[in-house]
Amino acid sequence: MKFLCLECNTAMEFKETTTPDQGSLTAIFECPDCFAEFAMHMNPWETQMLKSLNVQLGGRSEAAQPMEMVQSFLSQKNPNNLTSEAPVGSTEDGGKCPFASAVTEAFQEQEPTGPVWTPEALERLERVPSFVRSMAKASIEEFARENGHPEITTEVMDTARGNFGM
Amino acid sequence: MKTYKDLPADGGSNIVGQVTQQVNRLQQRLASVRHTVAIMSGKGGVGKSSVTANLASVLGLRGHNVGVIDADINGPSIAKMMGVRGQRIDYGDDGVKPAISPLGVKVMSMDLFLKDDETPVLWESQTQKDAFTWRGTMEMSALREFLSDTEWGSLDYLLIDLPPGTDRLPNLVDLLPNLGGTVVVTIPSGVSQLVVKKSLTMAKKLLNAPVIGIVENMAAYVCADCGKTEELFPSGNTEEMASQFEVSLLGKIPFDPRISIAADEGSVFVDQYRDTPAGQTFFSITDEIRMFFESQI
């Protein structure tokens, strides 16, 4: 899809995506001439289709990891496989993915050490949809730190969930 | 007002570029594969995966470098049949290292990624409602990743075990424009052949690749005690079907319960029982396939 600013007759440029909301994704485009912005809301099926193709709005700053789509979206994975660091490369076009980098940056700001996850809690975390999993993990870790839990168990997850009003 | 073609790009996402990059990655990976063969059948339950596993093993026994992809994303069985189930797979320098069968055949299957025996292939989504709109795309993306992200190395043969049905064939054409050929598996029943004919028509119409031939599986039953041969499915006529579609009948594999036992055990039938009628037929079919490609050089 391409977007045109009717006022300026200029191709609009991708600016950013916002955090997914109930499976839908919002992409914001901006006219480089008049700086008018508009938001495109994609319904959950369109968002899912984008994921199915393993492409990213805004482009990629790094080449896709091997088996990235399978690893990201398969619901219940074998925990013994693909445990080492994945080889990464860079894209030829040097594109960027504001959504991916925004999430990454958000978690780089977290403290490097945190409470320890029990295997049961990790297993439960695996069931959280991948695109919100990192965010959920960070929120629960923050909750555990603030409330003095050195270990994140499924009970701590339940408490955190109640605390978040979910 | 400018039209779609007047606008130079999509605003920065470069979706076409990202897809092109996926295609390039696939082509680079398959550049070191000499022959890619799809094993297909319109009908389920004809023993397609079992035939694939044994043909791959014979090719391995003949000294070839062989890989197998289980393209049956939702019903993977190749990993078990080839004795690689439970093998740990991990990243290498240039992708994911495949599982290796006892005969050195490289295997990639969704089975290797699933948590346990009971776990089906479910994709994460906000809702599974109306999943038909995107599930097929997910499955083809998974197959593309199996092809392009596995460290196959140099292969003489890459066998692709397709799921039942004709619907995946058009997608395979997009993924594998340089497919070397297809092998169609049937059993000698009228019902099976009714469905298999549709696959043959689809393969001949859609694929640039030739149909190498038909394999008739479960052709007859040889009594283990007296050696007498009895027909299992007397209603079909595979010779007639091969003649109608002008393709070779590569061989008729007699029913042998030890094929099923070997598959369940993850051992290799053709290695253990190469001198049985079924074992010999697997070898002769494999040699037909090898000759097919050698004659093209």
Side-chain angles (χ1 to χ4, degrees), chain A residues 3 7-8 11 18 48 79 86 95-96 98 101 126 138 144 148 159-161 165:
Chain A
F3 299 98
E7 191 70 29
C8 309
T18 61
Q48 193 70 26
K96 59 189 191 325
S101 51
E126 276 285 303
T159 314
R161 196 176 167 196

Side-chain angles (χ1 to χ4, degrees), chain B residues 9-45:
Chain B
D10 61 7
S13 295
N14 193 19
I15 298 293
V16 174
Q18 289 185 53
V19 173
T20 305
Q21 211 161 44
Q22 292 175 352
V23 172
N24 291 343
R25 191 161 160 168
L26 179 63
Q27 286 176 345
Q28 281 168 13
R29 182 72 71 185
L30 296 183
S32 54
V33 177
R34 286 181 66 202
H35 308 302
T36 311
V37 182
I39 315 292
M40 56 177 279
S41 170
K43 192 83 175 69

Side-chain angles (χ1 to χ4, degrees), chain A:
Chain A
M1 276 188 282
K2 299 173 181 178
F3 299 98
L4 180 73
C5 174
L6 289 173
E7 191 70 29
C8 309
N9 204 25
T10 303
M12 298 191 86
E13 292 176 355
F14 175 83
K15 192 178 175 191
E16 62 182 342
T17 52
T18 61
T19 308
D21 173 32
Q22 295 183 344
S24 71
L25 191 70
T26 298
I28 297 171
F29 288 79
E30 181 185 67
C31 172
D33 292 338
C34 70
F35 303 107
E37 292 182 352
F38 84 93
M40 177 180 69
H41 299 303
M42 288 188 286
N43 68 36
W45 297 277
E46 290 162 339
T47 308
Q48 193 70 26
M49 185 58 75
L50 206 62
K51 288 183 202 165
S52 309
L53 291 167
N54 203 32
V55 293
Q56 292 181 348
L57 279 182
R60 283 178 172 275
S61 55
E62 287 182 335
Q65 290 179 355
M67 309 288 179
E68 183 179 280
M69 198 285 293
V70 170
Q71 278 296 94
S72 301
F73 300 116
L74 188 62
S75 219
Q76 292 184 59
K77 293 182 286 289
N78 182 339
N80 299 319
N81 281 338
L82 304 185
T83 50
S84 68
E85 191 80 12
V88 290
S90 60
T91 56
E92 289 164 8
D93 60 2
K96 59 189 191 325
C97 173
F99 175 62
S101 51
V103 172
T104 308
E105 281 164 19
F107 293 110
Q108 279 171 346
E109 287 168 9
Q110 301 291 328
E111 289 173 28
T113 56
V116 179
W117 288 75
T118 65
E120 295 76 25
L122 266 182
E123 191 182 331
R124 189 160 147 191
L125 183 70
E126 276 285 303
R127 294 200 290 269
V128 175
S130 62
F131 54 88
V132 292
R133 192 181 301 139
S134 301
M135 212 166 286
K137 184 170 184 277
S139 302
I140 294 165
E141 284 175 352
E142 193 181 346
F143 171 83
R145 262 194 300 273
E146 284 174 357
N147 292 276
H149 298 291
E151 190 178 64
I152 299 177
T153 60
T154 52
E155 288 76 24
V156 171
M157 290 176 86
D158 285 335
T159 314
R161 196 176 167 196
N163 195 59
F164 300 150
M166 294 168 75

Side-chain angles (χ1 to χ4, degrees), chain B residues 145-164:
Chain B
E145 288 192 340
F146 288 177
L147 283 160
S148 62
D149 293 349
T150 304
E151 288 185 349
W152 295 112
S154 290
L155 291 182
D156 298 313
Y157 291 93
L158 177 61
L159 305 189
I160 304 170
D161 181 30
L162 287 179

Side-chain angles (χ1 to χ4, degrees), chain B residues 6 37 56 62 81 137 141:
Chain B
D6 295 329
V37 182
R62 293 284 198 221
M81 290 181 179
T137 313
S141 286

